[in-house]
């Protein structure tokens, strides 16, 4: 949510900043801006709208400088106007700031600064930061001391990058929002997320909460807020810049849907051995979880659907597990103790609601584990343990390949957990492991043969879209509906299939297609529910293997290969991803950047 980029080096900063902003646009796309040191001071261009519009305006009025900062915004305080776009400055324009997160005490700071004559021109919380720094400079503090003094007063969550006029230095600080430094020879980069500068370097150091980084042409210095040096190791990230580009695709979403055979193969690589009948999740030896008595899975959005999927597998195998919305955790968390394992499921590992729930669980004494896609993410570092889903970078705002990898990792974890807790595995390993090994190829088959585009076209003029499933089909129904509404802007709802008759059936008409997911778990009952909708005139689209009984009553069929019930939902989900994608494409929606949304939601 919101993207920050910074550059210090010998080359021109503008290209790096604009490339960085384009790479980061998935984090926010309401407005964008850059600031550079141009020899005589700070020069800024910023505007509402996409990075492409900013780029066009810079082509008309070029900017130059070797040091600069840039920002792409997802609005929290104030609408997406030119004035509210970052960078923000003080009245003299000697201090420029880009910021992600929320300054909770901004109103109080603004009042204090206004009383001292500072004039504010935006509705943002961010604008208090440059004014506060300038205030301390005016009081005689040096630039660095003024920066530190101002940061000390900020309450809330932030990643900030600051430039002061006349200096080839960037000052950065992190509290609750990610920031990473990239190093390539004498070029230095600063960003909220590695893909921002992956074209230039894969050597990075992550800032921790409470860190300050001072970047100038001589290098990077990491300190705490008081100025004491802290060690932050340089690491190499193994993401390939090509992975973060769109390649020949029109949209990241379709590219990422199509990447699932590869991402799933990466997820399971070295972790399963069908011949030995073994599941081996690195770092989780037998007995790791023998003290666990119950499990809570916390997550938001698509990750919550994966968490629900994982909880159902655990419950079916006799381990008490609950999936909970992280944003509700502060008001609904069941009690925890040291025998409770709390699993945070988060693609980005930066979702503020999930981090806050994870913190709460830790404070209350639970054992914690994070399932994430991002090495070094806050959630991975905050939890006692972490497991990577290895799906590769996901740029499209709608999560796709990461859902399937999350669900598979949770199934692998469920094996270790249930073995340790109840002495059994949830699966018949003789059939489950070969089926899991086949999953990437089966996803490939679905992608090759899917009829989703035709079905999306056929049903595009309907009123509402319902998705139903039972057992492991239920989280898939929820996910199918979330994906559909998120990128088409059409009304869509997911239901447990048996729940239809308890109310939602009142909405069912010939204008409400019902997508029914059959996973092999109690399919006869789901079929009955689908028939109830069909009787009321709703077109039914059955997602099931060829020859399944549901195809006899359904108006349309999306085929999935035969597999184990624990995996069938993941194949059905790929069909539903394609339906949503094609429906949104036919409606001409901005698929990778749906309105009002952003990839990583770093505010609560
Ligand atoms: C929907 C989507 C969101 C995220 C949610 C959690 O397509 O992407 O619902 O799943 O914001 O994000 P992470 O997984 O990064 O914690």
């Amino acid at each position: 949510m919101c993207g920050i980029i910074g550059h210090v080096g010998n080359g021109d900063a503008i290209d790096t900043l604009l490339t960085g902003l384009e790479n980061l646009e998935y984090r926010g796309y309401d407005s964008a801006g850059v600031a550079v040191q141009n020899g005589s001071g700070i020069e800024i261009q910023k505007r509402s709208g996409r990075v492409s519009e900013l780029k066009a305006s810079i082509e008309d009025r070029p900017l130059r400088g070797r040091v600069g900062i840039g920002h792409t915004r997802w609005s929290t305080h104030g609408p997406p106007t030119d004035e509210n776009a970052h960078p923000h400055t003080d009245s003299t324009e000697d201090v420029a700031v880009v910021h992600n997160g929320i300054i909770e005490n901004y109103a109080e700071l603004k009042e204090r600064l206004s009383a001292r004559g500072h004039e504010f021109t935006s509705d943002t919380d961010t604008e208090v930061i440059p004014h506060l720094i300038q205030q301390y400079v005016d009081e005689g503090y040096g630039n660095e001391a003024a920066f530190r003094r101002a940061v000390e007063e900020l309450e809330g969550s932030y990643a900030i990058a600051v430039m002061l006029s006349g200096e080839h230095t960037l000052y950065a600080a992190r509290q609750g929002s990610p920031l990473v430094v990239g190093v390539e020879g004498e070029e230095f980069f600063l960003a909220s997320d590695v893909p921002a500068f992956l074209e230039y370097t894969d050597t990075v150091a992550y800032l921790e909460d409470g860190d300050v980084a001072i970047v100038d042409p001589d290098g990077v210095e990491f300190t705490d807020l008081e100025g004491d040096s802290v060690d932050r190791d340089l690491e190499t990230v193994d993401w390939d810049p090509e992975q973060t580009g769109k390649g020949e695709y029109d949209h990241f979403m379709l590219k990422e849907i199509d990447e699932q055979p590869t991402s799933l193969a990466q997820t399971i690589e070295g972790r399963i051995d069908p011949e030995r009948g073994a599941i081996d999740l690195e770092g989780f030896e037998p007995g790791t979880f023998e003290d666990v008595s119950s499990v809570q899975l916390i997550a938001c959005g698509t990750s919550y659907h994966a968490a629900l999927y994982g909880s159902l597998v655990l419950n079916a195998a006799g381990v008490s597990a609950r999936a909970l919305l992280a944003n509700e955790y502060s008001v609904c968390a069941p009690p925890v103790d040291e025998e409770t394992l709390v699993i945070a499921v988060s693609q980005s590992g930066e979702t503020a609601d999930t981090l806050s729930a994870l913190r709460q669980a830790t404070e209350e004494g639970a054992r914690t584990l994070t399932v994430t896609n991002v090495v070094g993410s806050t959630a991975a570092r905050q939890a006692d343990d972490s497991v990577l889903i290895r799906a590769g970078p996901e740029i499209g705002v709608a999560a796709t390949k990461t859902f399937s990898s999350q669900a598979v990792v949770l199934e692998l974890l469920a094996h270790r957990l249930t073995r340790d807790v109840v002495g059994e595995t949830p699966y018949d390993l003789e059939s489950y492991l070969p089926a899991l090994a086949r999953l990437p190829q089966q996803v490939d088959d679905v992608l090759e043969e899917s009829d989703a585009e035709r079905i999306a076209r056929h049903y595009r003029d309907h009123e509402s879209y319902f998705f139903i499933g039972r057992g492991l089909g239920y989280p898939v129904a929820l996910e199918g509906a979330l994906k559909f509404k998120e990128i088409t802007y059409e009304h869509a709802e997911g239901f447990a299939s048996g729940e239809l008759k308890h109310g939602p059936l009142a909405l069912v008409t010939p204008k409400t297609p019902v997508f029914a997911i059959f996973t092999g778990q109690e399919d006869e009952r789901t079929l009955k529910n689908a028939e109830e909708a069909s009787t009321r005139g709703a077109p039914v689209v059955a997602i099931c293997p060829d020859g399944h009984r549901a195809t006899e009553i359904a108006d349309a069929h999306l085929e999935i290969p035969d597999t184990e019930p624990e995996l069938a939902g993941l194949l059905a989900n790929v069909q539903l991803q394609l339906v949503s994608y094609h429906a949104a494409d036919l409606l001409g929606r901005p698929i990778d950047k749906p309105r009002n949304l952003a990839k990583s939601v770093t505010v609560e």
Side-chain angles (χ1 to χ4, degrees):
M1 168 159 296
C2 298
I4 288 179
I5 176 80
H7 176 257
V8 175
N10 295 320
D12 184 31
I14 278 295
D15 277 353
T16 318
L17 297 179
L18 290 174
T19 306
L21 291 184
E22 279 170 337
N23 291 345
L24 285 173
E25 217 180 356
Y26 66 96
R27 293 183 68 103
Y29 32 84
D30 290 344
S31 58
V34 292
V36 287
Q37 293 279 2
N38 70 3
S40 57
I42 291 176
E43 199 178 348
I44 294 184
Q45 280 198 35
K46 59 180 190 170
R47 52 175 300 144
S48 60
R50 299 285 162 93
V51 174
S52 55
E53 293 167 55
L54 174 71
K55 209 171 163 181
S57 101
I58 291 178
E59 270 160 27
D60 288 348
R61 276 191 307 131
L63 285 180
R64 288 263 163 277
R66 284 183 287 135
V67 178
I69 51 180
H71 189 267
T72 174
R73 177 168 185 251
W74 187 85
S75 322
T76 51
H77 279 84
T81 58
D82 291 356
E83 294 71 32
N84 289 338
H86 297 217
H88 287 284
T89 62
D90 66 305
S91 322
T92 61
E93 297 207 347
D94 281 341
V95 184
V97 175
V98 289
H99 160 230
N100 287 355
I102 290 189
I103 305 302
E104 282 162 9
N105 59 337
Y106 85 98
E108 183 192 316
L109 291 170
K110 196 168 180 175
E111 200 182 311
R112 204 178 90 199
L113 290 159
S114 300
R116 305 191 71 153
H118 290 260
E119 279 176 22
F120 291 84
T121 54
S122 78
D123 311 312
T124 67
D125 52 341
T126 305
E127 200 186 351
V128 297
I129 306 173
H131 284 273
L132 196 55
I133 296 173
Q134 187 58 44
Q135 177 63 37
Y136 285 117
V137 170
D138 291 347
E139 288 175 19
Y141 286 81
N143 286 354
E144 182 180 332
F147 168 77
R148 288 182 189 281
R149 190 77 182 76
V151 171
E152 262 170 20
E153 292 193 42
L154 304 180
E155 287 170 19
S157 71
Y158 50 81
I160 53 177
V162 176
M163 215 165 62
L164 286 101
S165 185
E167 261 197 335
H168 284 101
T169 306
L170 294 187
Y171 299 94
R174 173 199 160 130
Q175 183 64 49
S177 284
L179 258 190
V180 59
V181 170
V183 180
E184 184 64 43
E186 292 176 351
E187 303 286 317
F188 301 94
F189 309 88
L190 184 72
S192 43
D193 212 349
V194 176
F197 53 62
L198 210 49
E199 277 99 331
Y200 307 106
T201 184
D202 58 3
T203 308
V204 308
Y206 295 95
L207 274 77
E208 305 266 345
D209 278 351
D211 281 1
V212 162
I214 302 177
V215 191
D216 65 24
D218 297 327
V220 189
E221 189 193 352
F222 294 100
T223 71
D224 60 18
L225 211 46
E226 285 73 46
D228 293 327
S229 183
V230 292
D231 274 342
R232 294 292 168 248
D233 295 336
L234 287 176
E235 305 171 25
T236 306
V237 287
D238 63 2
W239 285 2
D240 174 345
E242 284 218 344
Q243 283 179 290
T244 57
K246 254 196 308 220
E248 289 161 8
Y249 286 86
D250 288 339
H251 299 104
F252 279 110
M253 184 181 178
L254 188 58
K255 174 173 179 263
E256 288 157 4
I257 292 172
D258 276 359
E259 277 170 357
Q260 287 175 103
T262 310
S263 52
L264 282 166
Q266 287 168 185
T267 301
I268 57 179
E269 194 188 328
R271 290 171 164 174
I272 64 166
D273 184 343
E275 275 172 28
R276 279 196 303 124
I279 295 178
D280 182 12
L281 207 47
E282 64 283 356
F284 295 91
E285 305 306 325
T288 306
F289 298 118
E290 63 193 4
D291 295 332
V292 170
S293 62
S294 67
V295 179
Q296 293 176 10
L297 296 104
I298 48 175
C300 304
T302 292
S303 293
Y304 169 74
H305 300 149
L308 186 57
Y309 202 95
S311 74
L312 298 178
V313 173
L314 283 165
N315 285 328
V319 174
S320 167
R322 279 187 70 178
L324 298 147
L325 286 169
N327 36 67
E328 285 284 293
Y329 198 71
S330 60
V331 286
C332 77
V336 299
D337 58 27
E338 69 278 7
E339 291 183 0
T340 316
L341 178 68
V342 173
I343 304 178
V345 185
S346 174
Q347 185 285 126
S348 60
E350 303 295 350
T351 299
D353 289 328
T354 308
L355 294 178
S356 155
L358 189 56
R359 239 181 340 265
Q360 182 184 331
T362 305
E363 280 162 17
E364 289 172 7
R367 179 173 169 184
T368 56
L369 187 157
T370 290
V371 172
T372 184
N373 195 28
V374 181
V375 196
S377 58
T378 308
R381 285 180 290 138
Q382 204 168 295
D384 299 324
D385 288 299
S386 68
V387 188
L388 288 173
I389 62 167
R390 305 179 185 160
E394 188 177 68
I395 309 292
V397 164
T400 50
K401 61 178 179 173
T402 53
F403 172 82
S404 17
S405 289
Q406 285 171 333
V408 165
V409 162
L410 288 169
E411 290 200 357
L412 300 181
L413 257 178
H415 168 80
R416 178 76 284 129
L417 265 159
T418 54
R419 269 272 160 92
D420 288 352
V421 177
V422 291
E424 283 172 22
T425 171
Y427 319 112
D428 172 355
L429 290 177
E430 263 184 44
S431 52
Y432 173 77
L433 286 178
L436 183 52
R438 271 197 309 276
L439 183 66
Q441 181 55 52
Q442 288 188 322
V443 169
D444 204 33
D445 296 342
V446 169
L447 293 167
E448 284 286 306
E449 285 155 34
S450 176
D451 209 12
E453 184 173 2
R454 196 187 58 76
I455 286 177
R457 191 178 296 278
H458 187 75
Y459 291 111
R460 70 176 168 170
D461 284 330
H462 284 61
E463 266 165 14
S464 274
Y465 298 80
F466 297 136
F467 297 75
I468 60 169
R470 179 180 300 272
L472 290 171
Y474 173 49
V476 175
L478 296 178
E479 175 57 11
L482 174 63
K483 214 87 310 169
F484 199 88
K485 70 180 88 160
E486 172 179 29
I487 59 167
T488 65
Y489 312 160
E490 297 294 308
H491 178 244
E493 291 299 327
F495 301 106
S497 50
E499 191 65 11
L500 264 191
K501 58 186 175 296
H502 296 289
L505 207 50
L507 296 173
V508 164
T509 72
K511 294 296 276 177
T512 59
V514 174
F515 290 83
I517 298 149
F518 296 89
T519 60
Q521 285 179 315
E522 301 192 351
D523 278 1
E524 283 306 313
R525 295 176 71 188
T526 307
L527 186 56
K528 211 167 135 281
N529 304 136
E531 277 174 314
E532 284 156 8
S534 174
T535 311
R536 272 89 188 164
V540 170
V541 182
I543 303 141
C544 58
D546 205 20
H548 191 282
R549 267 249 303 129
T551 57
E552 291 164 22
I553 66 117
D555 301 86
H557 177 212
L558 285 166
E559 185 185 340
I560 54 170
D562 269 318
T563 187
E564 298 292 290
E566 293 88 358
L567 303 172
L570 305 184
L571 294 166
N573 189 53
V574 175
Q575 289 283 25
L576 295 180
Q577 290 170 346
L578 289 169
V579 170
S580 294
Y581 173 81
H582 290 299
D585 199 30
L586 288 164
L587 288 162
R589 305 294 188 223
I591 294 181
D592 286 331
K593 301 184 181 84
R595 73 179 171 213
N596 307 337
L597 301 178
K599 184 70 182 160
S600 180
V601 186
T602 53
V603 290
E604 283 182 49

